[in-house]
Amino acid sequence: MTKLMTLSEAIQLHVHDGDLLYASGFTHLIPFAAAHEIIRQGIKDITLARATPDLIYDQLVAAGCARKLIFSYMGNPGVGSLRRLRAAIESGELEWEEYSHFSMISRLKAGASGLPFMPMKQTGAVDLEAQNPAFKRVMDPYTGEEVVVVPPLKPDVVVVHAQRADSTGNAHIWGILGEQRLAAFASRRVILTAEEIVDEEVIRSDPNRTLIPGLVVDAVCHVPYCTHPSYTQGYYDRDNELYLAWDQISKTQEGVQSYLEEWVYDLPDRAAYWEKLGPEVHRRLSAGTFLSQPVNYGDYSNQDNHDV
Amino acid sequence: MTKLMTLSEAIQLHVHDGDLLYASGFTHLIPFAAAHEIIRQGIKDITLARATPDLIYDQLVAAGCARKLIFSYMGNPGVGSLRRLRAAIESGELEWEEYSHFSMISRLKAGASGLPFMPMKQTGAVDLEAQNPAFKRVMDPYTGEEVVVVPPLKPDVVVVHAQRADSTGNAHIWGILGEQRLAAFASRRVILTAEEIVDEEVIRSDPNRTLIPGLVVDAVCHVPYCTHPSYTQGYYDRDNELYLAWDQISKTQEGVQSYLEEWVYDLPDRAAYWEKLGPEVHRRLSAGTFLSQPVNYGDYSNQDNHDV
Amino acid sequence: MCENEYNQNELMVVNAARLLRDHDVVFVGVGIPNLACNLAMRTHAPNIQLIYEAGVIGSQPSRLPLSIGDPSLVSGASSVCSMYDVFSLYLQRGNVDVGFLGGAQIDRFGNINATVIGDYQHPKVRLPGSGGSMEIAAWVNRYFVITPHQKRRFPARVDFHTSIGFLTGGDARQRTGVRGGGPKAVVTNLGLLEPDQDGELVCQALHPGVTFDQVQENTGWPIRQADNCAITLPPNAEELRILREVLDPKCIYI
Amino acid sequence: MCENEYNQNELMVVNAARLLRDHDVVFVGVGIPNLACNLAMRTHAPNIQLIYEAGVIGSQPSRLPLSIGDPSLVSGASSVCSMYDVFSLYLQRGNVDVGFLGGAQIDRFGNINATVIGDYQHPKVRLPGSGGSMEIAAWVNRYFVITPHQKRRFPARVDFHTSIGFLTGGDARQRTGVRGGGPKAVVTNLGLLEPDQDGELVCQALHPGVTFDQVQENTGWPIRQADNCAITLPPNAEELRILREVLDPKCIYI
């Protein structure tokens, strides 16, 4: 059964005021279009979880959608600070809950695996542990030493972007994998966006590449260029210019507000956004061709070997 | 640096009397050629670990190579019993340590991840837990409930078979993945066998398919048809006839002994074994063609987007 | 074509298939359970999703798979994952509705033994062991057992608890904290057993021509007959046609 | 071409590169550490293996990567894995020899603060936080810090322990049970600091033309000069050529 719908429909159906949202993607496949639709729909009081909040959460916080942030690295990668997040935390407007990368992802691992906690080795840096009561310790029954444990993170809703998916949500992802698969399995609801909706035969030609199975997906949205200014491996490049420009834009709340007016509120959807970026940006971000060499799965319909 | 050597050299270098060996592969990619070389070299007192011992460990035990078995399902898949293993256990000749599939694989997960234990939810079936002191319990600090934990399994040596690998051991695997990747990371030493040794450009055309990185591999051996009578997805089919025949062959120790004489001791290597199987078997086991559709990783050598 | 009338395996496959619901996510091996799932998909439950324990999801095998690792399960499947992932992300996470289990013994409270006859340390008969059945029995929403009805297979108490049923009955299963609902039916060649409120297996249906006395004779405890004990509908022509012509034309399992 | 003489970034890159050994497995981000690794690979350590924290192994980027998630790191790499896998299978498992860390503060015992200036709950300056550095500092065999030498960056004690150095010195680090050996060198624009037996950072080398007084003036504690304090060799022509012509021709990081 098809789960195809517009991104606007999917957000309306699956993202509610007060939800715990995880928009996944470690530096790659960050679903900006979904965040923009959430901003347009004026959803409030969201707890935003992401290892690396990136520009996507700087925008959601500046737009007033968020109540709390759960994170492990709050920087503009390769540039510097996330100014709106930083200001909101320094002023006390935004609650936060902080992890290191591995403890953050271990929470997703526990959530995705149905485990009540995940252990990790000690790191000796106890200041964060002291500030965040979610960290606990458990004695290793084999050695008597202590390990650090974190509880499962089970988002209400996760957004995952994929290069290609079929209409039931089986999705091929390649390039940097981040925490996509764990986030999808950890979540109560999953919105899948994709550069291309393909016939299921394309997916079935390479089942080992299907990192998100339709089984866990609630909505499938065809959203080309969903992840700009981040990127989609093989489809378009990262827009480093916008990441640099954001450092200026985000210096003031007003700067962000006028950016959001122009690039979010005044536009109906991602197609309009991409068109507005214009042909020069399209050209600049175009990805060349570097194809994987195929593998043979084998055709075993020959019944000869079954006459036993 | 190339790690290429013959399988005979690799076994001689990396498998020693008394080692804990994990020949990996869940129903798929079972490295029979490596077991046969171990039998030929007369290595003794091995602790054999495998979720599903399959014919490969029935043969190693019958050949007198093993001291102990660590396992979770001791059947001839789709056929019935593993008669030599069963006899050795019933007679008390072979030590054993038993798990369920998930607790067995969780041990590899802990070993591969550098964790002192892995938790799993309770299963309520406590008889196995009572018989195997490696199972322990830990209190979940979040709920106060108990979880079952298992300690890391860190084999001395693991054998992994792959469809294709480069000379440094970066390997593409597809089809059923079993516990290959975890076993390789858990082990002290790794012998990689492959159907094809390919140029590294083939591997680099699809890095997401590289489940075994050369970083953890100690020896790379070119061994076509390594896994018969199991199979290699896309290369040849499972030889169900031999799995059925084994049920007869293995009824007596003498039956196995004469099988080993004919198919192991009297042959120098895998090439001779495959040739001896003959063209009719080759034809019967041939895999047809069913190719994956390629994906584009993108060529980002264009520097245009970097003038910022 | 296998034969004209239905045989006992066909009878069990058909009755097991009827227990499945549309949209069920089923954790399945090869053989009779695989036939039951595929029969249900082609009759009343087209949206069943199959997960093979080797980590293959959405298989479209071009031939009848002969082992859990048959390559035909993979070519054309929708997803493949590692063994750790299939047990954690699917099974332990609670993404599976139905499991199928078998074993050498199943007892009055639906507990299963696939490990050993006699003493564990000095086995009289050493069986294959748990495989994934310890986890399946605990973590799927409900599970079914398909087995020939013989007294030695139905003791009052199993020699070894490989997979949990209702333990000693009552709330004993629930008190362990396992998530799943346990065994919901045992399909045999004589009829269907189902747990009562106390978790004790009772005779809930007889196949056409079978008497309750036959069930009692082949069961190792004084089994009760449900008040509303029914007679199963015989396999119909369409079910048999699909089984014999489409799913297992060489009569490997039927 | 960037300029004729070497600048401070080039100086730091070259000195960091010289700390790497052939066959080291290095956990690396972008920027200066990335340049240092690539320079080492092209000079004395051709068999270095790079692991990018985004889960990319054996990259052959066709351009200088500008972020840890640059797509050019992936095209033509030898392996890509998930974030959980790179932190568990590589880092926590003990498969990584060298890490590079940075931060707003590094103290007398090599502890790093990348989290907050002032009180954690009421931050004066909120910094990005740990990312992977909490784990890198604990689990790699040895790590290096590359940072400009300024008094505010070198306090006697960090405001917040984001990543573990030698804590309070002595065997304090060892007693926590973490596996790695901790910081082995801090490369600055003035020279090299290295821990003494007690884990206290001392001035082990000065760059050409730098005086120890300059180091002391820019360090927030009374720093000691090692008895065998050396003068570093200036970047040579070949090192500068590789940096400027091959690795960073547009002078993005140098």
Side-chain angles (χ1 to χ4, degrees), chain B residues 72 90 98 100 127 231 237, chain C residues 63 69 120 126 128 131 135 161:
Chain B
S72 50
E90 287 176 0
E98 183 170 3
S100 61
D127 285 359
Y231 71 102
D237 202 350
Chain C
R63 67 185 187 201
Y120 180 80
R126 176 61 228 202
E135 288 86 16
H161 286 82

Side-chain angles (χ1 to χ4, degrees), chain A residues 26-27 51 71-75 77-78 86 89-90 96 98-103 105-106 109 118 120-125 127-128 131 175-179 182 231 233 237-238 240 290, chain D residues 53-54 56 63 66-71 74-76 80-84 87-88 92 115 120-121 123-132 134-135 138-139 160-162 164 167 176 178:
Chain A
F26 183 74
T27 76
F71 74 101
S72 50
Y73 181 82
M74 193 183 67
R86 185 176 150 183
I89 282 179
E90 287 176 359
W96 79 93
E98 184 171 3
Y99 295 89
S100 62
H101 273 350
F102 190 54
S103 51
I105 299 305
S106 290
K109 182 79 172 175
M118 268 300 288
M120 58 183 279
K121 277 188 177 168
Q122 290 192 41
T123 64
D127 284 358
L128 189 60
Q131 293 291 347
I176 288 169
L177 301 177
E179 76 295 63
L182 292 181
Y231 71 103
Q233 188 86 37
D237 202 349
R238 185 171 184 272
N240 203 54
F290 185 90
Chain D
E53 74 163 356
V56 188
R63 66 185 188 201
L66 293 185
S67 87
I68 187 64
D70 196 300
V74 171
S75 296
V80 174
C81 69
S82 75
M83 201 169 168
Y84 188 84
F87 275 90
S88 59
Q92 187 175 242
T115 302
Y120 181 80
Q121 291 297 343
K124 193 171 144 204
V125 182
R126 176 61 228 201
L127 304 165
S130 163
M134 187 165 116
E135 287 86 17
W139 299 339
F160 192 96
H161 285 82
T162 306
I164 188 180
L167 294 173
T176 66
V178 301

